[in-house]
Amino acid sequence: MGWNVRIIAASAIVAAVTGRAAAAAPAAIDLSSQPAQVGLPSNPPPADQVSPASPQGATRGPNATNPEGLSARPGNNAVGDQTFRQTPLPPSTPPRIGLFPETGADILALGIDIHGIGFDHFIADPSAGVQPGNTSNLAAIRPAIDFDLEKLIGVPGGFIHTGFTFFGARSDLPQVISQTGGFLVGFQTTPVVQTNIVSILTYEQKFFNGIFSIEAGRTNAYNYFLISNSLDPFTSFSSTFEIDGDFPTPPYSNWGGRTTLKLSPTWYVQAGAFEDYYHVAINSNPFGTTRAYGAQVLGEIAERSDFRNAAYPSNVEFGVEWNTREGRYNLKGTGAPDLPILDPTGYGGGGVLFLQGLQTLWRGPAREIGPPANIALYGSVDVALDAPQPISLDSIAGVNATGLIPGRPFDAIGVQMHYQRLSQPEVAAESFRQLLLNGPGLRQRASGYAYEVVGNLQITPSIAFRPTVQYFTHPDNYYPAFGINQRPHDGWEAGFFAVISLGRFLGTSVKPN
């Protein structure tokens, strides 16, 4: 976060994944980006988009008893799994719901998929950080359009993905960092500087019926890597990636690309490279490359299944990231044991080893609408490979319970713990700063924790409401709070995330975001 402004997230989750269940009849699913999140339609799309239904637990597609035609990924299994991350999947079947379902079906038949999200995020901070007692709010709308070039102009396997973000209803955002002080508390909402940005503008080419694909343009690494399993898109990303990897979170974009090769219906390998553009958020739409100080290079092997092809869905991502930047370009923290503002010390390039995943532990019987009731365990661990880096380790562990209330298949509740460990140079720098501001006292703790409870209330197939409550212990003071002479406090934050799926609301797409 900080003035290298970041916003929303959906990233890090999942560690040890065990007990993988036998899948149903294997057929390819689209693993070139996020997995398909829609139910089987009446007229199934090509095999590289979805798998056939598992007799143990798949949902039905659009019909008289299930007009929504909705299914969910095994993480939260909720219709309202909307986040700010783009999901550049091929145009999908019409949702048969919304304001203009017939028009939406006609547009989709032409190869144009109109979707996106609108949201409002509110946070009240009564006791956490360096200046408790404040609130913040941010609303945004991000329309997106995917073009199937085979349907439009006869280019087999070609797709264009576009998305734009417009911010509004901003309250107290420029002061958020100075109020919270640290990353663990402060990443709830960011001080958005720009009012509109280009979030994605890429060309994707699929080969061999979708087995191999390449995509490049203005995008974000989180669109393809580190797919979150948390119900809370704001708190599920990794501080090690955000700080050490210098990643901008969605909806901000930079130049980049990725390539994916399917190894099986659920396993794939993926590699990508994305520019490291300093202060990408402040500079809004930096299409130039004069301030690109390096590249973020990622590679991973991953697996992803859902209730359409597995009785007990799971996913795992294991890989490594390396940042090639050199010199004093990552100045959001300091590696020197002195006051950061007086003598900032840049971090050179470094790497992050990451492992994340999810395993469904329990499930109920199949239902006419929605996935079966289920409980899933997820987690992540991200370790900095090069020293010094500000955040040496970030880890999340959580449990999602979905559809346990009769008649409410998409309602869910999640409980998670987020752990962050500062490097020793960062501990020394923050301790010295506190010494100068407050006099002799306790040193900055290396380890910080955030405990969270988040719910998902699915109001309609296109609207969801997610309340959150968090408690922080030993938060850091990574971002200097200028003019505030306080140590970061343990304490509470509470808020909500209200979101609408534009495609489902309009009747133009089943995509949740």
Side-chain angles (χ1 to χ4, degrees):
M1 200 196 276
W3 293 111
N4 191 17
V5 223
R6 322 248 178 211
I7 188 156
I8 309 188
S11 85
I13 306 129
V14 198
V17 177
T18 58
R20 202 151 275 107
I29 59 176
D30 188 349
L31 294 171
S32 63
S33 59
Q34 222 174 4
Q37 299 181 35
V38 300
L40 290 175
S42 302
N43 299 307
D48 70 327
Q49 294 185 32
V50 295
S51 298
S54 165
Q56 291 101 334
T59 58
R60 296 185 177 182
N63 55 40
T65 60
N66 181 18
E68 296 92 346
L70 300 173
S71 178
R73 70 175 188 263
N76 48 26
N77 292 314
V79 182
D81 55 359
Q82 300 96 328
T83 70
F84 229 151
R85 104 180 38 211
Q86 172 79 6
T87 52
L89 295 170
S92 53
T93 56
R96 308 299 183 188
I97 57 174
L99 297 179
F100 313 105
E102 294 183 2
T103 302
D106 293 339
I107 293 175
L108 281 168
L110 296 175
I112 302 174
D113 191 324
I114 302 173
H115 54 103
I117 65 168
F119 81 90
D120 187 83
H121 185 218
F122 172 82
I123 284 291
D125 177 12
S127 58
V130 296
Q131 192 182 43
N134 294 278
T135 63
S136 65
N137 190 84
L138 176 66
I141 183 171
R142 196 218 60 203
I145 306 178
D146 295 335
F147 300 92
D148 184 336
L149 299 185
E150 183 170 8
K151 293 181 179 179
L152 284 170
I153 58 175
V155 179
F159 297 88
I160 293 177
H161 307 293
T162 66
F164 306 87
T165 303
F166 304 92
F167 299 106
R170 297 180 288 184
S171 172
D172 204 26
L173 292 180
Q175 288 75 40
V176 168
I177 294 299
S178 62
Q179 291 169 5
T180 57
F183 188 88
L184 192 65
V185 179
F187 67 2
Q188 307 305 308
T189 302
T190 40
V192 178
V193 176
Q194 303 298 332
T195 57
N196 59 82
I197 58 175
V198 175
S199 292
I200 186 167
L201 181 59
T202 65
Y203 177 79
E204 180 180 13
Q205 182 64 54
K206 293 178 178 292
F207 302 92
F208 313 115
N209 197 29
I211 293 176
F212 179 71
S213 64
I214 300 175
E215 182 176 357
R218 296 291 300 183
T219 186
N220 189 294
Y222 285 124
N223 293 340
Y224 321 101
F225 298 87
L226 301 156
I227 305 300
S228 172
N229 293 297
S230 173
L231 291 174
D232 188 345
F234 287 85
T235 63
S236 61
F237 57 80
S238 165
S239 55
T240 300
F241 271 98
E242 295 300 305
I243 302 302
D244 299 349
D246 211 16
F247 275 40
T249 55
Y252 300 107
S253 64
N254 49 17
W255 292 110
R258 58 88 197 163
T259 183
T260 303
L261 175 65
K262 297 179 184 178
L263 303 177
S264 76
T266 58
W267 283 92
Y268 59 100
V269 292
Q270 188 170 212
F274 307 85
E275 70 171 342
D276 183 349
Y277 191 100
Y278 186 59
H279 282 180
V280 63
I282 292 179
N283 289 279
S284 184
N285 297 304
F287 282 82
T289 59
T290 56
R291 298 193 67 187
Y293 300 131
Q296 303 144 350
V297 182
L298 298 95
E300 71 172 14
I301 182 169
E303 179 263 353
R304 196 166 294 274
S305 61
D306 59 32
F307 281 110
R308 291 163 296 173
N309 55 19
Y312 294 86
S314 62
N315 64 67
V316 63
E317 290 185 67
F318 175 70
V320 64
E321 177 270 345
W322 189 262
N323 193 310
T324 66
R325 67 174 180 266
E326 297 180 359
R328 298 160 63 91
Y329 302 131
N330 186 357
L331 299 177
K332 296 184 294 298
T334 178
D338 50 25
L339 189 63
I341 191 61
L342 297 180
D343 186 17
T345 299
Y347 290 90
V352 179
L353 185 70
F354 61 91
L355 170 66
Q356 63 176 39
L358 171 145
Q359 178 62 55
T360 303
L361 302 178
W362 173 86
R363 52 155 291 163
R367 294 193 275 213
E368 291 291 323
I369 298 177
N374 66 89
I375 297 175
L377 174 69
Y378 66 92
S380 69
V381 59
D382 307 304
V383 182
L385 297 178
D386 193 45
Q389 293 293 328
I391 316 294
S392 62
L393 186 145
D394 184 283
S395 182
I396 292 178
V399 177
N400 290 332
T402 305
L404 301 186
I405 301 175
R408 304 290 303 176
F410 299 110
D411 288 355
I413 186 169
V415 179
Q416 75 175 28
M417 182 188 76
H418 194 162
Y419 170 72
Q420 171 188 287
R421 188 177 69 206
L422 303 178
S423 66
Q424 286 306 309
E426 189 65 33
V427 168
E430 293 190 21
S431 296
F432 187 73
R433 179 177 183 278
Q434 293 181 17
L435 174 65
L436 293 181
L437 292 177
N438 301 286
L442 296 176
R443 287 172 53 86
Q444 172 64 46
R445 301 278 190 107
S447 297
Y449 302 84
Y451 306 92
E452 178 176 11
V453 178
V454 55
N456 181 78
L457 177 62
Q458 199 65 43
I459 299 173
T460 74
S462 60
I463 299 175
F465 181 79
R466 297 191 178 185
T468 61
V469 177
Q470 294 176 280
Y471 185 77
F472 303 89
T473 60
H474 308 153
D476 64 279
N477 198 15
Y478 181 75
Y479 297 107
F482 302 109
I484 301 174
N485 299 328
Q486 294 189 38
R487 302 181 187 278
H489 301 282
D490 296 357
W492 296 92
E493 277 190 351
F496 65 81
F497 177 56
V499 61
I500 180 172
S501 170
L502 299 180
R504 292 172 181 170
F505 179 75
L506 296 173
T508 57
S509 177
V510 293
K511 294 180 181 178
N513 49 9

